[in-house]
Amino acid sequence: MPATNVAEGPNQRQAGFNLFLVGFLILFLELACIRWFSAKVVFLQFFTNIVLLAAFLGMSCGCLAARRSTNWLALFPGLALVTFAAVATIMVLYSNWGQFAVDVGHQASPQEVFFGTEYRNPDLAKFVVPIEAIAGLFFVLIALMFVGLGQTLGRAFDAYANRVAGYSLNIGGSLAGIVGFSLLSFAQAPPVVWFGISCAGIVYLLYQDKALSILRLATIIIVVGFTAFYTDRSGSHDIRWSPYYAVDLNKPNGVITVNSIGHQEMMPFNERGSSYSLIHLLQKHSGGAPFKNVMIIGAGSGNDLAHALRFGVERIDAVEIDPVIQDIGIHNHPDKPYQDPRVVPHLDDGRHFLRTTERKYDLVVYALVDSLILHSGYANIRLESYLFTEQAFQDVRRVLKQDGVFVMYNYYRQGWIVQRVAEMAKQVFGCDPLVLPLPYKETLTSSEAVGFTTIIAGCNPRIPTAFRDRGQFWLNSVPPENLSVDGFDKALDKAAAQRGDWVPLAPARLVVDNEGAKQSTSDDWPFLYVSGRLIPDLTVRSMILLGVLGLGLVYLFKPKGAWRPNNRMFFLGAAFMLLETKAVVQMALLFGSTWLVNSAVFFTALLLILAANLYVIKVPSTRLARHYAGLLALLAVSVLVPLDTFLSGGIVWRYVIPCALALGPMFFAGVIFARSFRDEANPDQAFGSNIAGSVIGGLAESCSTLLGFRYLLIVAIGFYLLSAWMPSRKG
């Protein structure tokens, strides 16, 4: 291979600037695509890792094609237009053709439940597309969008003399990208701003390459303009972008849709929503005093607050993670519950609030806690995953008063989910919870579909005794009708049964006929909606499909002639992806599953990589064996020590040590990568192989539903051992 010609002067400065700019653009555009495609492609919000892996794959393919004559950045406008047109086509089909259905893992009897995907029955539709086909399509299209930037990156690495310094410039650009996108998320900027900034950078690179034509510029303007287009012109919809969702408020009826799926509805107390009053009615008519201090997790737009305020509460800590939904409730709920001085709003992750509050409560409510998006593209957990674990229930028990009550209600979809939650509550509190399905069922089996269900946990005997001694409880669908009536009154039995606006409620007997009900969740395995320790069939099919497509694209873009990937760099990339996964989930547990925590984790990871680069520059004789030893030792400790070990104690034990275990390995891994990358003969091929390995690491993360996050690190250890065994290709 002929030596790379490294020019002096302006070319070096230009290459350095390009390394920084492309680092910024790749990370910024990657985050923009994750946000936008998950909101606009139906049900893709449950598979945001596909967008992340597609971006990595495209970057890898671009680096591999760095020495090809085809300018893939010049093809970006057309590729982006085709990708956005595909989004528009699917949006129009799904919105306007009721016979078009997307099958997401057979939700009639699922191995993994995805809320909001069951409204159209694939068995009754005329045209059914499996979600993995849609995911595969956009995996390829989004990857192709990133090839041009990856190619520019590879060429800049080839042109820059100091490999590690060049990589540091690239990391600096990535740091700027994550800071910039985080600021825009905080400002709730719309997608037209995200893509406008991304495309402006690409226009500059095209101009630099003398590849900017009027047609390409016009195409880019059309693509950016598409993200600002919305068909509603009536003024009845208020659309805003929170850091989590595209939130659409239908102002006339109070319905809130997120990422094109119905999520909440603001209900006037005088009209409907009696299920929100149920726990307070049961407390009142079982002879208990009104709940004085209440915590509501998932306070949302305020329905739960409006009902609680009618029953004599003195203080409500209203915890909501989404700032836009909370703001909608503050300004638009017809009953104005957030305006009541007894309500104290908190913008926080529910588990983090549970862990950090020192207050004691009479009642803790999980109020329809069901996010419709993954926590991040790095891990298959949702925003509420760490609320439904044994350790989370122990946190609830800690903040409850001695006779306090813990209530959860939701449309749980599957009986095994209800039974799993009920069994965990029994194990933590030591008493059988009450399970109240609506409509009433005498028995509730694991294998059946369920609707709205209330689970009442804790060891306060008052409500269970009332059901045992007085029988069923009657609930009217119009909330004010319940205020002057004792739902346990036997006189209601005959009269209410003849009227459709009253429904009976009583504890159901749980019948376990599905193994999924026996699998409890923990902070290490927080997968409430997965039926057991397994890799769901949908995930397996997706892994195979994406793996085949990824190999096909790598083959298409590999250098001409005989070629094999750089194995050391490949395995380093695969392993580091799993390190990031572990860091994301552990920081979410410590500090909350918020977007700010995610941004801070990625920012810190990049800083550690930058620190590792500077260390290699300052200490050029760095020995890899020592750093491999330090890395593997930290990973071994993380495997052997359970996550919940650090959930109590002082600041050092509770925060400093787990942060060191989660983030420390990244420094050692960064040193190993920088030291190896410095000596590689072909930096474009080495970096391309490393990013390709990241795709494999991202697919390997799917094993977390089988292994849990602790033992997933064993896979990372295996990748690092393979990287150490592989020889480097020194220049």
Side-chain angles (χ1 to χ4, degrees):
M1 184 77 190
T4 303
N5 178 35
V6 180
E8 299 294 333
N11 288 339
Q12 280 288 280
R13 289 197 296 271
Q14 189 66 65
F17 178 74
N18 284 355
L19 285 168
F20 181 90
L21 178 60
V22 173
F24 172 87
L25 290 175
I26 286 177
L27 196 140
F28 195 94
L29 182 60
E30 171 193 306
L31 294 174
C33 287
I34 289 173
R35 292 287 312 281
W36 194 80
F37 284 99
S38 65
K40 296 300 181 181
V41 179
V42 61
F43 304 146
L44 199 64
Q45 64 258 45
F46 295 112
F47 307 94
T48 53
N49 58 328
I50 287 173
V51 182
L52 175 73
L53 297 181
F56 284 172
L57 177 64
M59 185 169 33
S60 170
C61 290
C63 286
L64 296 178
R67 304 184 189 193
R68 290 196 175 190
S69 59
T70 303
N71 184 353
W72 278 88
L73 192 65
L75 299 178
F76 171 85
L79 291 168
L81 184 63
V82 170
T83 305
F84 281 57
V87 174
T89 300
I90 292 177
M91 286 171 60
V92 170
L93 279 174
Y94 192 80
S95 300
N96 298 287
W97 187 21
Q99 293 299 312
F100 176 75
V102 178
D103 184 16
V104 186
H106 191 54
Q107 290 300 294
S109 180
Q111 292 178 313
E112 183 173 7
V113 173
F114 299 97
F115 284 14
T117 64
E118 74 280 2
Y119 296 131
R120 292 188 188 178
N121 188 345
D123 296 331
L124 302 178
K126 291 183 178 179
F127 189 75
V128 180
V129 177
I131 187 62
E132 54 265 43
I134 293 176
L137 170 66
F138 285 99
F139 181 71
V140 172
L141 290 175
I142 295 170
L144 291 174
M145 283 176 55
F146 279 83
V147 170
L149 288 171
Q151 187 180 52
T152 304
L153 178 64
R155 289 172 175 173
F157 270 132
D158 277 346
Y160 204 76
N162 189 323
R163 303 274 173 76
V164 179
Y167 182 46
S168 300
L169 287 170
N170 183 251
I171 293 299
S174 298
L175 283 167
I178 198 166
V179 170
F181 199 87
S182 296
L183 290 174
L184 291 178
S185 296
F186 181 79
Q188 299 174 17
V192 66
V193 176
W194 319 337
F195 287 103
I197 292 172
S198 303
C199 288
I202 291 171
V203 166
Y204 168 79
L205 291 173
L206 288 172
Y207 176 79
Q208 182 188 103
D209 283 350
K210 297 181 173 57
L212 182 63
S213 66
I214 296 297
L215 179 60
R216 288 180 181 131
L217 181 61
T219 303
I220 286 176
I221 291 172
I222 291 171
V223 168
V224 174
F226 180 83
T227 65
F229 180 75
Y230 185 67
T231 56
D232 177 65
R233 295 292 180 267
S234 65
S236 62
H237 287 260
D238 179 18
I239 300 174
R240 298 161 62 185
W241 287 79
S242 82
Y244 306 98
Y245 302 114
V247 182
D248 179 355
L249 169 63
N250 188 319
K251 290 184 282 189
N253 60 22
V255 171
I256 299 172
T257 300
V258 299
N259 289 4
S260 304
I261 297 177
H263 188 46
Q264 298 183 24
E265 178 183 359
M266 290 180 286
M267 300 179 181
F269 179 85
N270 289 332
E271 295 180 9
R272 57 194 184 279
S274 292
S275 55
Y276 299 111
S277 294
L278 178 59
I279 187 61
H280 302 280
L281 292 167
L282 290 172
Q283 174 75 354
K284 176 182 177 180
H285 298 303
S286 63
F291 298 114
K292 298 298 183 184
N293 291 286
V294 177
M295 178 198 297
I296 297 179
I297 293 178
S301 54
N303 291 333
D304 314 88
L305 308 177
H307 285 252
L309 291 169
R310 300 290 181 123
F311 290 90
V313 300
E314 294 179 355
R315 176 189 169 108
I316 303 176
D317 282 314
V319 185
E320 171 58 37
I321 197 171
D322 193 295
V324 170
I325 291 177
Q326 185 186 70
D327 185 70
I328 287 173
I330 290 172
H331 294 99
N332 297 94
H333 196 287
D335 295 330
K336 305 295 182 184
Y338 279 103
Q339 313 305 324
D340 193 296
R342 292 173 290 172
V343 174
V344 182
H346 302 271
L347 191 62
D348 197 358
D349 168 67
R351 179 68 184 279
H352 180 255
F353 189 83
L354 275 171
R355 289 188 61 218
T356 55
T357 184
E358 296 300 326
R359 298 186 67 87
K360 294 290 185 178
Y361 297 90
D362 302 294
L363 174 67
V364 173
V365 181
Y366 279 9
L368 290 161
V369 182
D370 53 354
S371 66
L372 299 177
I373 193 136
L374 292 184
H375 165 260
S376 76
Y378 285 81
N380 186 31
I381 58 174
R382 304 181 202 176
L383 295 179
E384 77 274 21
S385 290
Y386 281 123
L387 283 171
F388 291 95
T389 68
E390 289 186 8
Q391 293 81 4
F393 286 9
Q394 289 166 3
D395 287 335
V396 173
R397 183 179 180 182
R398 180 186 66 83
V399 303
L400 278 176
K401 295 179 182 178
Q402 187 173 1
D403 59 347
V405 176
F406 176 32
V407 63
M408 300 161 276
Y409 43 79
N410 209 329
Y411 296 88
Y412 289 104
R413 271 69 172 186
Q414 295 294 317
W416 53 265
I417 296 179
V418 173
Q419 293 186 2
R420 178 181 291 177
V421 172
E423 180 60 26
M424 286 194 299
K426 178 181 178 180
Q427 293 298 321
V428 170
F429 288 93
C431 304
D432 287 317
L434 300 181
V435 176
L436 308 175
L438 188 65
Y440 168 66
K441 294 181 179 181
E442 183 178 351
T443 61
L444 190 152
T445 64
S446 314
S447 57
E448 68 179 295
V450 298
F452 188 88
T453 306
T454 299
I455 303 171
I456 302 173
C459 290
N460 188 324
R462 188 176 293 109
I463 296 175
T465 301
F467 273 114
R468 185 189 64 209
D469 296 343
R470 303 179 65 185
Q472 61 190 3
F473 183 89
W474 288 92
L475 185 70
N476 194 287
S477 59
V478 181
E481 294 293 321
N482 296 297
L483 297 179
S484 59
V485 176
D486 182 352
F488 283 116
D489 190 345
K490 292 290 186 182
L492 281 173
D493 288 359
K494 184 175 181 181
Q498 296 173 351
R499 296 170 54 185
D501 54 350
W502 290 90
V503 293
L505 286 162
R509 182 172 59 89
L510 304 184
V511 177
V512 177
D513 61 356
N514 183 305
E515 291 299 313
K518 301 177 182 179
Q519 176 63 58
S520 62
T521 55
S522 67
D523 287 344
D524 180 56
W525 195 85
F527 302 106
L528 176 66
Y529 307 119
V530 179
S531 61
R533 281 188 175 266
L534 52 84
I535 303 176
D537 293 343
L538 171 61
T539 302
V540 173
R541 293 195 301 270
S542 299
M543 290 172 65
I544 294 172
L545 176 62
L546 299 185
V548 170
L549 292 173
L551 286 173
L553 284 176
V554 169
Y555 181 81
L556 178 66
F557 286 96
K558 71 177 181 64
K560 294 180 179 179
W563 175 82
R564 60 188 178 89
N566 188 312
N567 292 326
R568 169 176 284 189
M569 303 301 283
F570 178 88
F571 287 119
L572 285 175
F576 193 81
M577 187 70 172
L578 296 179
L579 291 191
E580 289 186 289
T581 296
K582 181 63 164 58
V584 165
V585 298
Q586 187 151 336
M587 294 303 102
L589 183 59
L590 292 176
F591 301 106
S593 300
T594 66
W595 70 276
L596 276 173
V597 172
N598 276 349
S599 297
V601 171
F602 301 140
F603 185 83
T604 304
L606 291 171
L607 279 181
L608 288 169
I609 293 172
L610 190 59
N613 290 351
L614 296 176
Y615 175 78
V616 171
I617 292 173
K618 294 292 185 181
V619 188
S621 59
T622 302
R623 296 184 62 181
L624 292 185
R626 294 177 181 175
H627 292 86
Y628 266 112
L631 171 63
L632 295 174
L634 283 176
L635 292 180
V637 172
S638 295
V639 170
L640 295 173
V641 179
L643 288 173
D644 56 1
T645 302
F646 304 104
L647 294 184
S648 61
I651 292 177
V652 172
W653 184 257
R654 197 171 182 179
Y655 293 107
V656 176
I657 294 177
C659 285
L661 287 174
L663 300 172
M666 291 185 177
F667 176 77
F668 289 103
V671 171
I672 293 167
F673 174 85
R675 175 69 171 75
S676 302
F677 186 59
R678 184 191 68 185
D679 298 333
E680 287 294 335
N682 301 304
D684 53 345
Q685 307 302 306
F687 201 77
S689 297
N690 181 259
I691 301 301
S694 297
V695 177
I696 298 302
L699 294 176
E701 185 277 331
S702 300
C703 296
S704 60
T705 56
L706 175 66
L707 302 174
F709 288 116
R710 275 173 61 205
Y711 295 139
L712 187 65
L713 286 180
I714 295 175
V715 180
I717 290 172
F719 284 145
Y720 275 121
L721 290 174
L722 286 170
S723 75
W725 183 51
M726 297 294 171
S728 63
R729 301 180 185 177
K730 295 185 178 181

